Amino acid sequence: MAPLSPLGRALGWLSPPARGAMGLLWIIAACVPSVTRPLGLSITATLALIGLLLAGGSLKAVGLRLVGVLSFTVLTVLGLAVLPSQPGATLVALPLGLAAPAEGLFFVLDIAVRAALLITVALALGRVFTAREFLLALNGLPIPTTPRCLLYLSGLSLSRVKADLFRLFRARRARGGVRGWSAVRSSMSILGVLIVRAGRSAERQAFALQARGFADRFPTLDDESPSLPLPELVVAAVLGGVPVWLATLA
């Protein structure tokens, strides 16, 4: 958590379950915008960037995580442009004299835009919750036990993935670094290594939990489910619901 950040101070009076409900709505808001609704997309992107900056995050961190999204988008759009389209399909002109079907192009761009928004929102929320507060937030929400445990373990694994990512990029810079297309290819290779490491780490963690008799539950120290007062629930619903509504604007 970044307690000295403006966002951390502003949300500090809310209980972890209330912040969790609000954060869940923010994540939903990041999944709603579309390139076919430019007003909602621009408002949501602006709010996500403001939230990230108020939480003490950096645009550089977002940019590093968007390398894979950008590479996937470019390759997919090129594939749409090269492959033959259906007769009568509406085409959208692209650079280099290429054209892609409008329906497929908008679908790919929507995936890329929502992935970018989710990354930005997740980075902002990651600076508002400590690991314990994240657990309290999940325990206070009406979520089944198995998805709750998966979300908690996924949240904890993000810090390890982040540390691995920084180590790999530092190692690349120490070896002279690369630029241009070589940097993109190198970044894709790094992401592939991270995916393999994350899978192996998750497997080891699952075996360790099973060996210790894991009962599909992470209790807190007081072993009580935190309550979610009605006034805080209303505030969280407003703070999270308004961005969802704005994201739907055309």
Side-chain angles (χ1 to χ4, degrees):
M1 182 179 182
L4 299 181
S5 69
L7 186 61
R9 291 194 301 267
L11 300 178
W13 68 277
L14 288 175
S15 63
R19 273 181 281 163
M22 181 198 64
L24 182 61
L25 289 174
W26 284 4
I27 292 174
I28 294 174
C31 299
V32 172
S34 171
V35 293
T36 58
R37 297 191 297 271
L39 179 59
L41 175 58
S42 59
I43 293 176
T44 306
T46 302
L47 292 177
L49 289 175
I50 292 174
L52 176 69
L53 296 177
L54 290 178
S58 66
L59 297 179
K60 181 179 179 181
V62 176
L64 288 175
R65 288 161 176 80
L66 288 180
V67 172
V69 177
L70 180 61
S71 302
F72 166 80
T73 304
V74 171
L75 292 176
T76 307
V77 171
L78 287 177
L80 289 175
V82 172
L83 295 176
S85 58
Q86 295 181 352
T90 303
L91 299 179
V92 177
L94 300 174
L96 303 178
L98 301 175
E103 183 178 1
L105 179 63
F106 291 153
F107 177 74
V108 173
L109 292 180
D110 279 345
I111 293 177
V113 164
R114 291 168 184 174
L117 291 174
L118 282 172
I119 290 172
T120 306
V121 172
L123 287 175
L125 291 176
R127 302 183 65 86
V128 177
F129 289 95
T130 63
R132 183 177 184 276
E133 287 175 333
F134 183 49
L135 177 58
L136 290 173
L138 292 175
N139 286 342
L141 295 177
I143 303 176
T145 55
T146 299
R148 181 186 304 166
C149 294
L150 291 175
L151 286 172
Y152 180 61
L153 292 174
S154 299
L156 293 181
S157 66
L158 289 178
S159 60
R160 293 192 294 269
V161 173
K162 177 181 177 180
D164 288 341
L165 182 65
F166 285 163
R167 280 197 296 269
L168 290 171
F169 276 111
R170 283 199 300 267
R172 187 178 70 176
R173 288 196 299 268
R175 290 171 174 81
V178 290
R179 296 182 181 275
W181 178 246
S182 298
V184 175
R185 292 178 57 188
S186 174
S187 299
M188 291 298 295
S189 300
I190 289 175
L191 291 176
V193 172
L194 284 178
I195 292 173
V196 174
R197 287 187 179 182
R200 291 177 177 174
S201 176
E203 186 178 34
R204 289 194 300 269
Q205 192 172 40
F207 288 151
L209 289 171
Q210 186 177 12
R212 288 166 174 80
F214 178 61
D216 207 20
R217 178 170 172 267
F218 288 106
T220 55
L221 292 177
D222 52 13
D223 204 21
E224 294 180 0
S225 297
S227 60
L228 181 56
L230 181 59
E232 292 191 8
L233 178 61
V234 173
V235 173
V238 172
L239 293 177
V242 170
V244 175
W245 172 70
L246 292 174
T248 62
L249 297 179

